[in-house]
Amino acid sequence: MIEPRRDVALMDGYHSPQVEVEVRLNTNESPFPAPAEWVTEAQALVASIAWNRYPDRTATELRTSIGQLHGVGPEQVFAANGSNEVLQTLLLTYGGPGRVAAVWEPTYALHSHIARITSTGIAEGERATDFTLDLSEVQRVFEQDRPSVAFLCSPNNPTGVVDDEATVRAVLELAIIHDCLLVVDEAYGQFAPWSALELVAEDVPLVVTRTYSKTWSMAAARIGYLVGPCSVVAELQKVVLPYHLDAFKQAAGTLALAYVDEMNRRVAAVVEERGRLMDRLAALPVEVWPSGANFVLFRPLGLDGATVWQELLDRSVLVRNCSSWPRLEGCLRVTIGTPEEDDRFLAALEEILR
Ligand SMILES: *Cc1c(COP(=O)(O)O)cnc(C)c1O
C-alpha cells in the first residue's frame, strides 16, 4: 500500500473525543441552541436555493454582511468553513515549505497542527509562567526564526488569558519590522474587553479571525472569517478551493447577522455564569486561572488530572483533558454551560475531590 507523505505518517490527528454524554463541556460551544426564529427562517431558505447551480463563488452577500458588522467592505473579509479553514488558507498562502510560522505556547493546538499539514516550519516560543506574553521572548522568536506568519490567540485557548492592547500593538510593530503577517485568532473575541479588529488597516500586516462556532451558537454551520487588508484577502481567494462555501451556508450565515443583539445577550449570560462557576471552584482544592473566554482552565490538587477527567466521564460529564500537554500538566478545561450543566459538573467534581 502506498505510504502517505512521511511527515503525515508521523503526525498525530486532532484528538478531542466525541463521546455520548449527558453534560458536554469539552469544545467551548455555546450551551444555548441557535435562535428559534433563525432556525425557522433558515428552513425557508432551504426551499429557495437553486440546488442545481453552483453557489456564489465569492460569497459576496455573506462577506458584505460580515463587513457591515465590523465597518469594513467585503473586499476586507475572507470567509470559510470555520475559522480553521481560514487558518489553513492563510498557511497555504503565507506559509508552506521553506517558511516558518511562530506560536507562543501554550496556545491553540491547531495553529501548529495546520502548520505541519501545510509543511510550514514551526517556531515555538514560550509564554510567561502566568501565560501572558513576554515581549522579549516574542522578539527572540522574530529575530532567530524569521517567521512569515505569527499567531496570537486572544482570549487564548486553553488558558483564557487576554493579551492587552499594548502587547498586541508591540507584537504588530515587531511583525512589521520583520516582514511577517500577524494573525490574531479571536475565536472568543466577543468576550474580550477590546479587539485587535481596531488595528486592521490596509497597509498593516494584520488579520483577525473570528468564528460563528463559539458564542454564536452555530458550530454546526461551520462558518469562520477574517478581517484584514484587501491585498491579503485577494491572495487567499486565489488559494481556497472554488465554491468552498455552499449556498445554504452563505444564506444562513448572512441571516444570522440579524441576530447579533441576541448573540450579545448570550455572551453576557455566559460571562455571568462564568463568575458563578469561578466562585464555586475557588472553594475546591483546585488551582484556577482567570478567564476572559467561555471556558476555565483548572488543575485538581492532590489528584492526577487524567484520573479526574475519567471520573468526570464516568459521571457523564465530558471536559477537555489537557493534562498531558506541555506546561499544562494535570490541567483540565471546562466550557461554561447552562447553570444546570455546570451544577452537574460541580457536583461531580466535588464528589471526586472529596
Ligand atoms: C474553536 C476555535 C477555532 C475554530 O473554530 P471553527 O469552528 O473552525 O470556526 C479557532 N481558534 C480557536 C482559538 C478556537 O478555540
Side-chain angles (χ1 to χ4, degrees):
M1 184 64 186
I2 175 92
E3 291 286 327
R5 225 169 66 193
R6 189 160 165 72
D7 55 337
V8 171
L10 294 171
M11 204 180 277
D12 276 332
Y14 176 69
H15 288 296
S16 180
Q18 285 197 302
V19 197
E20 275 307 315
V21 288
E22 288 163 19
V23 180
R24 215 161 82 180
L25 301 174
N26 65 324
T27 40
N28 302 341
E29 295 133 319
S30 169
F32 310 114
E37 301 83 356
W38 176 79
V39 175
T40 309
E41 290 187 71
Q43 280 164 353
L45 285 178
V46 174
S48 72
I49 286 168
W51 289 99
N52 56 321
R53 299 295 178 191
Y54 277 111
D56 173 13
R57 198 170 62 234
T58 56
T60 300
E61 198 187 351
L62 175 64
R63 289 164 55 226
T64 302
S65 315
I66 292 170
Q68 278 163 0
L69 181 67
H70 297 299
V72 299
E75 63 289 340
Q76 277 191 264
V77 178
F78 174 76
N81 293 286
S83 54
N84 283 333
E85 195 189 30
V86 175
L87 299 171
Q88 185 192 50
T89 312
L90 278 166
L91 282 170
L92 286 170
T93 310
Y94 292 93
R99 290 194 167 204
V100 167
V103 296
W104 286 271
E105 299 285 359
T107 190
Y108 185 50
L110 264 287
H111 294 158
S112 40
H113 184 69
I114 298 172
R116 267 179 230 110
I117 290 171
T118 57
S119 301
T120 309
I122 300 163
E124 216 173 88
E126 293 290 329
R127 283 177 170 259
T129 332
D130 62 357
F131 300 137
T132 57
L133 263 187
D134 169 356
L135 284 173
S136 60
E137 169 69 353
V138 173
Q139 184 164 7
R140 182 193 66 77
V141 171
F142 271 106
E143 285 172 2
Q144 269 181 22
D145 299 291
R146 302 271 154 193
S148 301
V149 182
F151 288 103
L152 293 185
C153 184
S154 179
N156 195 12
N157 179 6
T159 60
V161 170
V162 179
D163 294 324
D164 63 33
E165 181 171 351
T167 304
V168 175
R169 278 184 186 275
V171 177
L172 183 56
E173 285 309 315
L174 287 167
I176 292 168
I177 295 168
H178 291 92
D179 202 17
C180 173
L181 179 66
L182 177 62
V183 180
V184 181
D185 184 335
E186 290 193 353
Y188 307 94
Q190 292 91 342
F191 292 94
W194 82 285
S195 168
L197 283 164
E198 298 166 21
L199 307 179
V200 171
E202 212 32 56
D203 48 354
V204 173
L206 168 71
V207 296
V208 179
T209 67
R210 292 256 170 142
T211 176
Y212 282 46
S213 299
K214 308 288 161 64
T215 19
W216 279 12
S217 299
M218 290 179 194
R222 309 301 301 123
I223 307 174
Y225 61 90
L226 67 71
V227 177
C230 304
S231 55
V232 172
V233 171
E235 297 299 330
L236 300 176
Q237 294 287 13
K238 283 191 219 165
V239 170
V240 77
L241 292 176
Y243 311 109
H244 66 135
L245 293 172
D246 68 72
F248 176 71
K249 184 186 311 250
Q250 293 187 31
T254 303
L255 182 61
L257 297 170
Y259 295 91
V260 168
D261 290 346
E262 190 161 339
M263 308 300 185
N264 290 339
R265 282 195 290 278
R266 286 150 190 254
V267 174
V270 168
V271 168
E272 194 181 328
E273 176 62 7
R274 183 182 71 204
R276 189 183 74 92
L277 187 82
M278 296 284 278
D279 289 346
R280 295 278 303 275
L281 283 173
L284 291 174
V286 296
E287 187 179 355
V288 190
W289 283 268
S291 168
N294 67 339
F295 54 83
V296 174
L297 184 73
F298 68 99
R299 177 186 279 141
L301 301 174
L303 260 186
D304 171 57
T307 307
V308 174
W309 181 81
Q310 183 60 52
E311 292 213 19
L312 285 167
L313 188 56
D314 294 343
R315 290 163 177 80
S316 209
V317 176
L318 181 62
V319 300
R320 192 68 195 267
N321 183 3
C322 314
S323 64
S324 63
W325 301 4
R327 310 255 331 255
L328 300 177
E329 292 78 11
C331 289
L332 304 176
R333 189 196 68 195
V334 61
T335 305
I336 309 302
T338 62
E340 296 71 33
E341 289 172 321
D342 295 339
D343 284 340
R344 280 277 308 267
F345 158 73
L346 286 162
L349 188 64
E350 272 161 9
E351 195 177 277
I352 295 160
L353 295 176
R354 192 177 293 144

